[in-house]
Structures are given as C-alpha cells and as structure tokens.
Amino acid sequence: MRVLHVCTEIYPLLKTGGLADVAGALPAAQVKAGCDARVLVPGFPALRAGILDQQLVAELAPAFGAESIRLLRGVLPDSGVAAYVIDAPALYDRPGNPYADADNHAYPDNFQRFALLGWIAARLAEGLDPSWQPQIVHAHDWHAGLAPAYLKAAEQASGRKLAASVQTVHNLAYQGNFPSHVFGYLGLPAHFFDINGVEFHGQVSFLKAGLFFADKITTVSPTYAREIQDSEQGCGLDGLLRTRAQDLAGILNGVDDTVWNPATDPLIAGHYDIRDVTGKLACKTALQQEAGLSIQDEAPLFVVVSRLTEQKGLHLVLAALPLIVQRGGQIMLLGSGDAALESAFKAAAAAHPHSVAVRLGYDEQLAHRLIAAGDVILVPSRFEPCGLTQLYGLKYGTLPLVRKVGGLADTVVDSSLENLGDELATGFVFESFDEAGIGAALRRAFALYQRDADWKQVQKRGMQQQFGWNAAAAQYFALYQQIDTR
C-alpha cells in the first residue's frame, strides 16, 4: 500500500513538538511492516539541509504567492524513508521557527504556505511524480488539513477517485483558522466555503477542512477520540466530530526504541535496563551536579519537560513546589512558554537553589538526561491528546504523575492500594484539575518512595509496558484497509 504522510516537521531534522516524533517514527515503522510509506514536507531550511540525495521531480508554475516552486525527492537520513520536499523559497526559506517570526507572531502568509502543502499532496495523487502515486494521503494536523479538501475538489472535477485521505488530529486546539477573504486565494470550488466544508464561524478553518473531507479521522489516543466529541474538549468542532463518529478512531502513539532506550541512549550518564537499574542512580547524580542541586537520594527527584502553558497544568506544578521542597524532594524543569510562568519558576529556583532547578528553552539532549535522572515525571495536563513524555518516563523507569485525561488516562495506572495489590500500578493518577488533586498524588509518590520494594515493583512494571510503533503501524494499516482506495 502506497501512503503519503503530509506534515511540517520530522525528528531529528526539525522538531517543535510531538508531531515531529510521530512523523519520524510512524512512516519508518510502516515501511518495516511492508507499506510503501513516504513523506511530504515544506522546504524549511532544516528539512532542505537534512534530507539526503534530493532530485528534481517537477517544476511548477507560480502559485500561492511563490514565484518559484520545485518538488524534490530524497530520503530521510536515519530511516531511509523517501521524502518529497517543496522547494518554494519565498514561502519557506525563513530562519528560526517554521510557523512564526522572532517575536512569535504567526507569519501572515501561513494560509498560503500551508495551502501549498495540501495542494501539492493532491497533485501527487494526480500523478505529479510519474513514478509514484499514493493510494492514501495521510494529513497531520491543521497544516495539512487542506489536502483532503484539494483531493475532494479534484475528485469532483475529474469524476474519479484519486486517493483516499486520513486526517490525524494531534491537538484539536490548533485549528489553522483564517479570515474569510483568505478563501479566495485557495483555489477551491466556491461551494466549499460552507458549513459543510471549510467554513467555521465565518472563517476558513484548515483543520475543519480535513475533518470534513477526509475519508477517515484519527487522533492519538482512544480516550482523546471520545473526549473531543464533547463540548468541553471539542473546541467548537465536537458537533462535526459526533456526526463523523463512525469514521473516527483513536490510535495511541508509540515510542521510537532507537531514540528512547535507557540501555543504549548515548545522551545519558549511565545505561540501565529492566534487569538492572543501578545505572539510573548515576544519571540522577550527574543531573544533580549539572543543575546545582544537592546530591541526595533520600527523597524523589521530580522532572518536567513541557511547554509552559495553562493547558499543560504548569500552574499546578508551581503551586505544588512548596510541598515538594518541604518534604525534601527536588524538582527540575525544562521548557518555555508563558512569560509569567517562566518568571515564577525562575524565582522559585532562585529561592531554593539546592531543591529547584529551571532551564528555559528546549534542549533535546537535556530532555533525555532529565527523564533518565528523574524518579517521577510530572504531566498534570488539562487536556492531553496522547502525551509522549509519560511514555518516555515509563520506559526509563521514571514514574509518571499524570492527570486522568486523554492519552495519559490510557497509559498510566495509579498506585492505589488496589492496583498495587493487583500488580497493575505504573504511576500516579489524579482527576481534579486543581491543587488538591496534584497534592494528593504527590503525597502518594512520596509515600511510595519510602517503600523501596514497592517502588521498584511499580518501576519495573512501568518499564515492561509496550508502546512500540509496530502496534500503531498495524492499526493504521487496518484503518487504511477499511477505505475504498480505487
């Protein structure tokens, strides 16, 4: 089966979030399973520089504000997966963040930059590369949301099915909404600007386009697939998603074992595995030294690797800091985002330099060191489509402390007395999105840490959990087979 993944970032070449991890791992897992999976990406500098053996496939007429458009084909450096790159310098050749300027303002021409991405995906289904045509166009997040719409438009114009389409929602809160006048630049049929189409409260919504026109919709955990059909987490699209419930599936993300594996990870101070975790203490000691924390193992080290936003529940972590410090624990945070949260965490680190450490920004190598060193990883999100850091925590024997929501609810089992007795527990789970909820979970973590044998049993059970990409690749393949690809 020929599958084209349409996305904007791929680990390790370009990463701003979990989408890059998925785009780097899923096509590679599908290729190993026998699929002919390829990717299509915009020609951002990091992708143009990192994709190997690029050859010209086609030159296209000016469109979407770009005078020069070329389609190139190469291969991803680690996996060898074939990759198409849209070389349109006027749209993509910009320094820094692929979506926003240095002041974090979204580029005003983003609608053109990502309309071109969806349009090229449909052109590939029409035969733009004479040597290869996808049977499935798999669009990821709002940036690729117009791909199913352009496919549907081409299908209506030609009277024949070109390729089936799948829209994956990695986070429903990010929708790619633009003013209505933008529709005139997209080259879609006039009747597509409708409630049964791309129109959303008078705007053009790239994500809604994908949700409406795609043959199948997926999101990245079973619980999140249910949650987004309700008003609380539906972000205004719950009505549409309820009408498409039969076409909506939740497929849990996986962990790339070649990148996240404490037995082989070249970025950490000591290697360890489920049979012998003694190397984890070397990781903890090294991080304490690096961060200026006191060297101790009498109480747990909590770690956070996250964007600093209200969605991620970081204000709850801030409120819980006094409890952690009072009980002799330590915490180190890596992330950036909300300026008020950044300032508050920096102030806490200044007030408690031997117990609290903060690194603002994102550092992939430091993320590995934190997750290997920590005893507990905090993921107290308001909503969480899947979450990957709790999966990394499980794999590294760093017990996740999470809110019971989305993919967190699907992957972590609370260390209640019943679950400990039934040998099910893998972490700590709380329900109420408030200080009382996270406080109770933290007290359970401190209590379990004092019971060394029980802690090690929960740690071992967490490390036994299987979240590889092979299972996800098989589920996507089964989903593709449900669609008429003639």
Side-chain angles (χ1 to χ4, degrees):
M1 185 173 285
R2 300 182 304 280
V3 182
L4 180 70
H5 289 274
V6 188
C7 52
T8 52
E9 48 189 85
I10 294 180
Y11 179 84
L13 300 179
L14 177 62
K15 175 176 175 176
T16 70
L19 169 61
D21 293 316
V22 176
L26 176 59
Q30 290 179 325
V31 167
K32 286 179 184 174
C35 266
D36 184 357
R38 303 187 179 190
V39 300
L40 169 68
V41 294
F44 298 134
L47 297 173
R48 283 281 285 118
I51 291 171
L52 307 176
D53 304 327
Q54 295 177 38
Q55 306 289 327
L56 180 67
V57 173
E59 295 195 38
L60 297 100
F64 300 101
E67 290 295 320
S68 168
I69 305 173
R70 300 188 306 155
L71 183 66
L72 309 173
R73 184 180 63 239
V75 294
L76 296 178
D78 291 345
S79 62
V81 170
Y84 292 97
V85 189
I86 305 168
D87 181 34
L91 295 179
Y92 302 136
D93 190 4
R94 300 173 189 178
N97 188 298
Y99 315 115
D101 63 22
D103 295 321
N104 206 31
H105 296 135
Y107 289 118
D109 60 348
N110 272 349
F111 68 94
Q112 293 172 299
R113 302 170 81 221
F114 300 118
L116 177 61
L117 178 65
W119 183 74
I120 292 287
R123 293 292 308 275
L124 278 164
E126 291 180 276
L128 183 60
D129 180 352
S131 68
W132 191 84
Q133 284 179 255
Q135 295 166 287
I136 302 282
V137 172
H138 190 148
H140 292 269
D141 263 352
W142 74 261
H143 319 98
L146 287 193
Y150 284 120
L151 277 170
K152 186 63 68 173
E155 180 183 314
Q156 290 181 1
S158 67
R160 63 187 180 90
K161 183 86 169 180
L162 294 169
S165 59
V166 175
Q167 177 71 48
T168 291
V169 178
H170 295 265
N171 190 334
L172 194 68
Y174 299 97
Q175 300 177 354
N177 297 335
F178 299 93
S180 58
H181 69 83
V182 159
F183 183 78
Y185 295 91
L186 302 181
L188 288 166
H191 66 276
F192 276 36
F193 189 74
D194 186 78
I195 191 171
N196 294 315
V198 307
E199 186 271 334
F200 183 57
H201 296 291
Q203 296 183 298
V204 172
S205 174
F206 279 42
L207 183 60
K208 189 197 170 202
L211 299 179
F212 185 84
F213 288 112
D215 294 292
K216 293 286 184 182
I217 302 166
T218 74
T219 191
V220 288
S221 73
T223 293
Y224 191 61
R226 294 190 296 272
E227 289 171 342
I228 59 176
Q229 295 178 59
D230 293 329
S231 58
E232 182 182 348
Q233 295 199 36
C235 301
L237 292 164
D238 48 292
L240 171 58
L241 289 163
R242 284 194 297 274
T243 66
R244 300 220 57 196
Q246 295 304 308
D247 297 318
L248 171 61
I251 299 175
L252 199 66
N253 282 339
V255 174
D256 188 342
D257 194 61
T258 65
V259 177
W260 293 96
N261 185 343
T264 58
D265 192 334
L267 303 175
I268 63 178
H271 289 147
Y272 58 96
D273 58 27
I274 197 168
R275 298 182 302 275
D276 181 3
V277 297
T278 53
K280 189 167 176 61
L281 181 58
C283 296
K284 184 175 184 177
T285 302
L287 187 81
Q288 288 169 331
Q289 290 173 331
E290 176 184 352
L293 299 171
S294 58
I295 310 300
Q296 59 101 342
D297 193 37
E298 298 79 44
L301 169 62
F302 297 87
V303 295
V304 179
V305 179
S306 177
R307 295 195 310 276
L308 303 189
T309 65
E310 193 272 346
Q311 177 228 318
K312 295 293 187 179
L314 273 299
H315 64 292
L316 298 183
V317 175
L318 199 58
L321 278 178
L323 172 62
I324 293 172
V325 173
Q326 175 193 341
R327 296 214 169 194
Q330 297 174 322
I331 181 168
M332 183 166 181
L333 174 143
L334 169 65
S336 62
D338 182 87
L341 285 171
E342 288 186 0
S343 297
F345 277 109
K346 289 294 281 185
H352 305 283
H354 300 301
S355 302
V356 181
V358 173
R359 295 291 183 273
L360 297 180
Y362 188 74
D363 180 331
E364 184 78 14
Q365 296 187 3
L366 181 55
H368 282 249
R369 298 200 297 277
L370 257 73
I371 292 170
D375 297 300
V376 178
I377 185 163
L378 302 175
V379 195
S381 304
R382 176 184 289 278
F383 65 92
E384 194 61 69
C386 176
L388 288 170
T389 51
Q390 88 279 9
L391 301 183
Y392 303 152
L394 289 166
K395 195 161 184 69
Y396 280 63
T398 305
L399 306 191
L401 190 154
V402 305
R403 182 160 175 259
K404 189 176 182 179
V405 68
L408 305 175
D410 291 328
T411 53
V412 183
V413 179
D414 183 55
S415 294
S416 65
L417 288 174
E418 297 89 340
N419 290 335
L420 287 168
D422 293 339
E423 299 185 351
L424 299 172
T426 58
F428 311 95
V429 183
F430 68 98
E431 294 199 30
S432 57
F433 189 64
D434 53 32
E435 294 177 31
I438 194 172
L442 283 167
R443 286 190 290 274
R444 291 202 303 281
F446 274 102
L448 189 68
Y449 194 77
Q450 298 307 314
R451 304 191 334 247
D452 190 57
D454 288 339
W455 182 276
K456 286 177 176 171
Q457 279 299 111
V458 176
Q459 185 181 58
K460 182 177 181 180
R461 197 171 303 112
M463 295 178 76
Q464 287 173 334
Q465 302 302 302
Q466 296 296 316
F467 295 109
W469 274 107
N470 291 343
Q475 287 179 273
Y476 279 112
F477 185 71
L479 180 90
Y480 298 155
Q481 290 181 308
Q482 297 172 18
I483 313 172
D484 180 5
T485 58
R486 289 175 296 175

